[in-house]
Structure formats: C-alpha cells, structure tokens
Amino acid sequence: MKLSIETRPADQREAALSLSGEIDYETAQELRTAVSSVLDGNIDTLVIDLAGVTFLDSTGIGTLVVAKRICHSMGVKLHIRRPNPFIARLFAVVGVSDILGVPIPPGTVSGRLPQPRERNVTQPA
C-alpha cells in the first residue's frame, strides 16, 4: 500500500495533512513534499493526522521529527494527532514521544535509558 495525503486548510492560519497508508523509505519524500508545500509562511499551526497510517518505519519517524524541527524554526506549531496504539508505542520505545508531543500509552516502556542504580558496595573490614 502506498501513502495517501489529503491536504486541507482547517482555518486561515492552520493546515492539516491526513495520512493514510504506509510511511516508509519509499513514501517519506511524499510526506516531506506535502509538509514543505503547506509551510508557505501563512500558517501558525500544522496538524498531521496519522489515523489512517498502517505502517511506519524509521525513515517515517525521522521525517516527522525533521518536520517538527523545521516547523519550530519557522514559528509553526506542529501537532501529531490520532496515531494508532502501535504507532504511539513505537514513538515511546524509540524515544520521540516528547519531541512529537504524543502521549506515551499506559504500560509502555519509554525508549529512554533508566538512570543507573547506585551500587551498594560494601568495603571489606
């Protein structure tokens, strides 16, 4: 399955991209092009709706992270909306939930490494 991107203005200062299908190495360029086309200096907010995304690989995750950074540098707020539970967990495990503003699903172990435990070393007497 390929990627389908529906672009719709939500209002005068907001644009929305609704994605369906797969975001991977083959289709990530389509997403980059769609994001670039709406970042024309006339919006304050970009919403990317992932409700229809059935597959997301590391290239797709990287594309979303880069889109977030580009939006930030342009003063545009990027909101990722409606990832399915698997993709939301994937964001958490990879460690990009905070960057993308996607809540970590309950019971999901974050991709961040835990703080090291202090070792209780007993000195010989």
Side-chain angles (χ1 to χ4, degrees):
M1 178 181 222
K2 295 295 178 194
L3 179 64
S4 171
I5 303 172
E6 179 185 331
T7 305
R8 55 186 162 70
D11 67 30
Q12 310 156 357
R13 301 296 297 171
E14 180 177 291
L17 300 176
S18 294
L19 310 181
S20 298
E22 301 175 358
I23 307 173
D24 58 15
Y25 180 77
E26 287 186 29
T27 62
Q29 183 59 46
E30 295 173 50
L31 177 55
R32 284 190 287 274
T33 300
V35 169
S36 295
S37 71
V38 298
L39 293 177
D40 57 6
N42 294 321
I43 64 168
D44 297 321
T45 304
L46 172 59
V47 176
I48 298 180
D49 186 337
L50 300 180
V53 174
T54 57
F55 178 80
L56 180 70
D57 73 0
S58 60
T59 306
I61 293 170
T63 300
L64 291 171
V65 169
V66 169
K68 178 73 172 192
R69 289 183 181 151
I70 291 169
C71 286
H72 179 75
S73 71
M74 295 180 72
V76 174
K77 294 176 187 167
L78 174 64
H79 300 288
I80 305 294
R81 296 286 186 252
R82 303 188 320 150
N84 68 42
F86 177 80
I87 290 175
R89 281 192 303 274
L90 181 61
F91 289 154
V93 170
V94 173
V96 298
S97 292
D98 289 343
I99 294 168
L100 296 177
V102 176
I104 296 174
T108 303
V109 176
S110 172
R112 294 186 179 162
L113 294 174
Q115 294 296 320
R117 292 183 292 162
E118 287 190 31
R119 295 175 62 187
N120 188 2
V121 179
T122 308
Q123 298 293 331

